[in-house]
Amino acid sequence: QQELVRSARCRHGAPCRWGSQFNVPPSAQFVARPVGVCSMMKLPMQASAEGLDAAFIGVPLDTGTSNRPGARFGPRQIRAESVMVRRYNASTRAAPFESLQVADIGDVNVNLYNLPDSCRLIRESYQKIVASGCVPLTLGGDHTITYPILQVVAEKHGPVGLVHVDAHTDTGDRALGEKIYHGTPFRRCVEEGLLDCSRVVQIGIRGSSYDPDPYKYCRDQGFRVVPAEECWRKSLVPLMGEVRTQMGDKPVYISFDIDGLDPAYAPGTGTPEIAGLTPVQALEIIRGCKGLNIVGCDLVEVAPMYDVSGNTALLGANLLFEMLCVLPGVKTR
């Protein structure tokens, strides 16, 4: 493997692969998939985001979960399954590794015993990432993590638009007396002015509720809520055309909870809901974000132990790759 990595140097001085000026995932034609450090897509590991256009970063936190724990192991398993993800997107012709400098910068060292302190640690880590001009692609972790991430993103870009895929709106106020957990991040974001509420869309929402009108809060803020029922048995390409118009050219953040997908496809999650989206629709949503001013993305709530096949994490790895492929500046071949 070392012989194949060679001694090429990229434009930022870090070792590059295959003689390219960019970091490129190794081909399984030359390096066996089980070989090497378990990084996202077997990309080089880097200690910081300096010199990167985009970076994969893990946030292994699940102390904000309300049902089944285990999302703390999501980043590790997503990385392991990502060996099946290759350099080019054959469907969209996207060539991210010929366009952007990308690496895996490891995990935020969260505090598993203190959720508010973990939020502080996430904020401090992302302040460095965002300040460097790098777009973060986050491997969660439960959905609590999106709150401190958006605090940092909005600090730089102002209130952002949000493409939110999920079974749940995550706009609760509190549970068991606590205001920070994975069911409240977007209410906290609204309260702090982190979201441009006229540019928020929530897709795939479904499930039973404790309230007869569970989406009232979201609609009162100006969110567009697209229940799963409105997505059944149809392509979401037309919807995403409307979403692109809604988002315009201002900054947009993508937050994708894996439980937005039907548990037949993604059983490895903590709060599954029946009758969800399909992987094809997930691709339509993310690919439909091409052309938007995307300033960050996350893929959350993968809890690997509830899916011994590894398919939930494999799906998560592919969706993160799709997010990378629609970032500004990615060329096509």
Side-chain angles (χ1 to χ4, degrees):
Q1 185 178 6
Q2 292 302 316
E3 180 182 350
L4 289 163
V5 172
R6 302 170 188 159
S7 59
R9 288 289 186 187
C10 70
R11 55 184 172 151
H12 303 295
C16 292
R17 306 210 179 208
W18 323 114
S20 169
Q21 64 171 322
F22 298 108
N23 296 330
V24 181
S27 169
Q29 294 172 316
F30 303 104
V31 180
R33 287 193 171 107
V35 170
V37 174
C38 187
S39 67
M40 187 65 182
M41 296 183 66
K42 301 187 73 172
L43 285 163
M45 296 291 298
Q46 192 166 307
S48 77
E50 288 298 324
L52 299 177
D53 301 307
F56 292 105
I57 179 169
V59 185
L61 180 71
D62 65 1
T63 45
T65 53
S66 58
N67 191 41
R68 302 189 304 201
R72 68 181 64 183
F73 303 113
R76 184 175 299 177
Q77 192 65 32
I78 290 169
R79 286 182 172 110
E81 299 296 342
S82 74
V83 298
M84 282 296 296
V85 186
R86 303 166 184 87
R87 302 176 194 173
Y88 297 101
N89 191 319
S91 299
T92 67
R93 312 295 294 175
F97 301 108
E98 293 182 2
S99 313
L100 305 176
Q101 191 66 278
V102 188
D104 186 327
I105 59 172
D107 294 335
V108 175
N109 186 18
V110 294
N111 183 347
L112 295 177
Y113 309 114
N114 188 317
L115 194 54
D117 190 48
S118 284
C119 288
R120 175 188 64 82
L121 292 165
I122 294 166
R123 273 194 305 273
E124 291 177 356
S125 295
Y126 277 76
Q127 282 168 344
K128 297 173 184 176
I129 296 167
V130 172
S132 72
C134 176
V135 176
L137 296 142
T138 303
L139 293 64
D142 75 54
H143 223 151
T144 309
I145 70 174
T146 306
Y147 168 45
I149 294 171
L150 282 174
Q151 286 180 312
V152 175
V153 170
E155 188 176 34
K156 177 173 181 177
H157 298 283
V160 297
L162 177 69
V163 176
H164 173 207
V165 183
D166 205 320
H168 315 97
T169 63
D170 292 351
T171 54
D173 185 25
R174 63 179 69 223
L176 305 179
E178 299 298 325
K179 300 191 75 170
I180 298 176
Y181 79 106
H182 75 163
T184 64
F186 299 115
R187 184 179 286 242
R188 302 287 85 86
C189 288
V190 168
E191 291 171 347
E192 296 183 19
L194 310 180
L195 299 176
D196 178 351
C197 293
S198 66
R199 295 191 306 118
V200 174
V201 61
Q202 299 181 302
I203 305 170
I205 309 301
R206 63 192 189 278
S208 53
S209 70
Y210 297 115
D211 190 284
D213 188 4
Y215 313 143
K216 183 179 186 301
Y217 174 85
C218 301
R219 291 178 173 135
D220 286 349
Q221 310 315 308
F223 294 5
R224 179 177 182 180
V225 179
V226 184
E229 288 90 341
E230 295 181 13
C231 303
W232 290 348
R233 299 181 296 276
K234 67 174 69 171
S235 168
L236 300 187
V237 169
L239 169 66
M240 292 312 297
E242 297 171 5
V243 169
R244 286 193 299 276
T245 300
Q246 178 185 1
M247 296 298 157
D249 59 3
K250 296 178 182 178
V252 176
Y253 187 89
I254 300 173
S255 187
F256 201 118
D257 187 325
I258 202 71
D259 73 22
L261 300 182
D262 191 273
Y265 305 105
T269 193
T271 49
E273 302 282 0
I274 66 166
L277 304 177
T278 69
V280 171
Q281 291 173 319
L283 294 182
E284 289 178 329
I285 293 169
I286 298 174
R287 292 175 183 177
C289 292
K290 179 68 176 175
L292 296 181
N293 182 14
I294 300 166
V295 295
C297 311
D298 63 51
L299 188 289
V300 298
E301 299 285 359
V302 171
M305 67 282 295
Y306 307 114
D307 181 5
V308 295
S309 73
N311 286 344
T312 305
L314 176 65
L315 184 52
N318 276 274
L319 295 180
L320 282 159
F321 173 67
E322 293 284 341
M323 292 175 191
L324 174 65
C325 289
V326 298
L327 292 186
V330 173
K331 303 171 185 175
T332 57
R333 285 288 297 261

